[in-house]
Amino acid sequence: MQDEEKRLRMAVIAGAAHAARFKSKNPRATEEQVIQHVTEKAKEIIEKIDDPL
């Protein structure tokens, strides 16, 4: 359970980082556009969480 919680936290943080980066590069982007961008990157985010450093 602890490992799953850790992975979930990492996914949330990574998603937030992607959102912040997208909003920084696209300051006029709507909240909907930011969410869409993170949704499109979700698979990539999850795959990178499972990769060892």
Side-chain angles (χ1 to χ4, degrees), residues 37-48:
H37 173 74
V38 174
T39 301
E40 292 169 358
K41 295 291 184 178
K43 184 176 180 179
E44 179 183 326
I45 291 168
I46 292 169
E47 288 172 354
K48 286 185 179 181

Side-chain angles (χ1 to χ4, degrees), residues 2-44:
Q2 191 175 16
D3 287 339
E4 283 298 314
E5 185 176 325
K6 181 180 177 182
R7 289 179 69 231
L8 180 58
R9 286 181 185 202
M10 289 172 58
V12 169
I13 292 167
H18 274 273
R21 229 175 286 127
F22 181 80
K23 185 66 174 174
S24 176
K25 291 179 181 178
N26 303 282
R28 293 185 181 192
T30 65
E31 183 176 340
E32 185 176 325
Q33 290 170 319
V34 175
I35 291 170
Q36 181 63 37
H37 173 74
V38 174
T39 301
E40 292 169 358
K41 295 291 184 178
K43 184 176 180 179
E44 179 183 326

